[in-house]
Amino acid sequence: MAPALSVAPNVYDAEPIPEAARAEIDRLLQSGDLFRYTAPEDAPVALLEREFADLMGSKYALAVSSCSAAIFLSLRALDLAPGARVLIPAFTFAAVPSAVVHANCQPVLVEVADNYRIDIDDFAARLDDDISAVIISHMRGHTSDMDAIMALAAARGIPVIEDAAHSLGTLWHGRKIGTIGAIGCFSFQSYKLVNAGEGGILITDDADLVARAVIMSGAYEHNWKKHAVKNGGPDGQNDPELELAFARWQNMLPLYNMRMQNLSAAVIRPQLPEVARRVRDGRANHDYVADRLNASAWIEVPDALGPEERAPDSIQFNLVDMPSDDHARAFADAAAARGVKVQVFGLSTDNARAFWNWNFIPGERPELPQTRAMLMRACDVRLPARLQKPDLDFIAGALIGAAEDVMGEETRAYGT
Ligand SMILES: *Cc1c(COP(=O)(O)O)cnc(C)c1O
């Protein structure tokens, strides 16, 4: 048996970047070739786009500066009218409503249940003909009921954008998350499965959408020609549908310059073959800790939905039967004293995932009692795929012990 750890595992450090990145970065530094459109073909960013599209089984990919930029460009690619209403979950990262506001649209928030997934009844109720698009954030990798969402959206002809920033490797009925909606957006920010510091990518099978997004991302003049080869096909054939789309939008769209540079692609590409392993280890780690936590009377890790195969690098759980916010705070303090940092989403000051802090959204302050109640008891703990069993035991033990510290006393005091 592995010895018990006496110090808390470091859950913040990322994995080292694969060694293969080094030679490519050196080559780029030597040549100074950092801009994606300098090389006539096969720039690292263009190669990344083809590799990522192949990995996901989608027709097109566009690498950009962040997932937020990918979401913004997706909304602009859909050509929504100024002020268009866009449905988003009330539990997401502030970057999502921000991208909607940036695209000159109005975010409309939907209730999220205590399993962190969109409340489908509330979604159906708010999805009226005044809604022009839907963004589904698979928050912390939790997948909402995509069957219901796609059916409801399709019935009204409303496009769905998947914010899969934190869901690379997640499956729904065996289908890759990010390939279900019209567009899928992913992040390469350091806390996500693939780490380039910053970066994002969008995928789609729609030539018109990707042509618009490519141009607006900053493919000025005829730089779109460097996007025209379809999936690097062996004959290097151009995709006629895509060429027509580029011709249609030439000079018709603003340039927002949200391009990715070659160094980022050099850091990302050698991580793509690591994705499957990170997903496998992250899921095993998560499920091991979830099983242990569920044995506590005061902690509940919600189940995945039936069709969902998760790719977690963190764990979320609810505090149950804790009578007050002070108890939940005391739990977080007790866990910290035991060496594990817990964030209760709704209780930390200025949390960017608490909808009541999104004061930049124009109009009335929405109230979403169900989501609010969930956020007041929902906890977040990082659980990177590289952790080993003694690390996991330390974290699970600290969390169970912290709940006991706070609630055990109480139960003993009043339980007799
Ligand atoms: C990280 C994250 C984003 C933002 O990604 P960036 O690449 O940092 O812009 C958006 N949505 C979700 C759900 C995220 O986790």
Side-chain angles (χ1 to χ4, degrees):
M1 221 180 102
L5 287 185
S6 57
V7 289
N10 179 334
V11 294
Y12 290 95
D13 287 358
E15 282 185 31
I17 304 302
E19 189 58 31
R22 205 178 290 271
E24 176 69 349
I25 290 170
D26 261 352
R27 186 185 71 80
L28 293 170
L29 295 186
Q30 283 294 328
S31 63
D33 181 13
L34 303 184
F35 180 51
R36 68 164 297 167
Y37 293 131
T38 303
E41 58 188 5
D42 291 343
V45 179
L47 294 175
L48 165 66
E49 288 168 344
R50 267 181 246 157
E51 289 161 1
F52 196 84
D54 287 349
L55 179 72
M56 300 304 291
S58 51
K59 259 174 146 168
Y60 310 112
L62 169 66
V64 290
S65 51
S66 68
C67 181
S68 303
I71 296 171
F72 165 77
L73 289 169
S74 299
L75 291 166
R76 295 290 294 115
L78 288 169
D79 205 12
L80 306 179
R85 293 156 61 81
V86 176
L87 220 51
I88 67 168
F91 177 43
T92 184
F93 187 55
V96 175
S98 304
V100 176
V101 169
H102 189 192
N104 205 2
C105 299
Q106 176 69 35
V108 178
L109 309 189
V110 184
E111 287 272 31
V112 171
D114 64 5
N115 66 354
Y116 322 126
R117 288 149 177 99
I118 288 170
D119 178 317
I120 296 298
D121 290 340
D122 194 56
F123 180 85
R126 292 183 203 250
L127 191 75
D128 57 28
D129 289 333
D130 268 355
I131 299 293
S132 301
V134 168
I135 300 177
I136 302 300
S137 274
H138 304 297
M139 189 56 175
R140 290 289 191 273
H142 300 289
T143 311
S144 294
D145 182 347
M146 290 305 287
D147 298 346
I149 288 166
M150 294 309 292
L152 287 162
R156 291 181 184 269
I158 298 173
V160 174
I161 297 169
E162 284 184 83
D163 165 18
H166 218 145
S167 287
L168 182 56
T170 302
L171 304 177
W172 177 257
H173 289 299
R175 243 176 109 176
K176 294 192 170 76
I177 281 297
T179 66
I180 297 172
I183 308 182
C185 303
F186 296 85
S187 175
F188 301 124
Q189 184 268 343
S190 288
Y191 294 161
K192 313 299 160 94
L193 200 76
V194 170
N195 164 26
E198 302 282 0
I201 199 162
L202 66 83
I203 56 173
T204 181
D205 287 340
D206 187 312
D208 210 56
L209 288 181
V210 81
R212 288 175 55 87
V214 162
I215 291 173
M216 288 188 281
S217 76
Y220 61 92
E221 296 166 353
H222 293 157
N223 280 315
W224 54 259
K225 288 186 176 164
K226 293 175 181 175
H227 293 261
V229 176
K230 179 184 171 181
N231 288 346
D235 48 2
Q237 281 279 314
N238 284 351
D239 175 342
E241 209 191 335
L242 186 57
E243 295 221 313
L244 279 173
F246 281 128
R248 194 158 47 241
W249 295 110
Q250 179 78 57
N251 298 348
M252 300 298 288
L253 298 167
L255 306 172
Y256 296 106
N257 285 11
M258 296 173 151
R259 294 174 298 252
M260 179 181 277
Q261 61 132 325
N262 283 336
L263 284 174
S264 303
V267 170
I268 294 164
R269 290 179 62 217
Q271 292 184 64
L272 296 185
E274 305 291 317
V275 167
R277 183 209 24 103
R278 290 179 187 174
V279 168
R280 194 183 58 232
D281 292 352
R283 188 183 299 156
N285 285 356
H286 173 277
D287 293 351
Y288 177 78
V289 173
D291 272 352
R292 283 205 55 192
L293 295 185
N294 276 330
S296 164
W298 299 290
I299 299 179
E300 186 180 273
V301 185
D303 286 334
L305 300 186
E308 186 183 4
E309 280 178 71
R310 306 199 52 230
D313 60 4
S314 62
I315 189 164
Q316 290 71 46
F317 55 88
N318 295 322
L319 299 174
V320 289
D321 294 332
M322 287 207 186
S324 72
D325 293 352
D326 284 342
H327 287 78
R329 280 193 193 95
F331 165 77
D333 291 345
R338 289 167 173 271
V340 174
K341 185 164 184 295
V342 177
Q343 169 182 254
V344 185
F345 288 103
L347 291 178
S348 72
T349 313
D350 297 328
N351 194 299
R353 297 150 205 89
F355 65 86
W356 53 87
N357 289 326
W358 303 340
N359 292 325
F360 54 84
I361 297 182
E364 272 178 44
R365 305 275 81 226
E367 195 36 75
L368 297 114
Q370 190 186 349
T371 308
R372 181 183 286 268
M374 177 273 284
L375 290 168
M376 298 312 262
R377 293 293 178 274
C379 300
D380 192 24
V381 173
R382 289 175 56 78
L383 212 59
R386 63 177 166 72
L387 295 188
Q388 302 295 311
K389 189 156 173 295
D391 305 322
L392 304 175
D393 282 329
F394 185 99
I395 291 170
L399 295 172
I400 293 166
E404 180 72 24
D405 292 345
V406 176
M407 298 304 296
E409 284 286 300
E410 200 129 325
T411 317
R412 276 190 292 279
Y414 302 106
T416 46

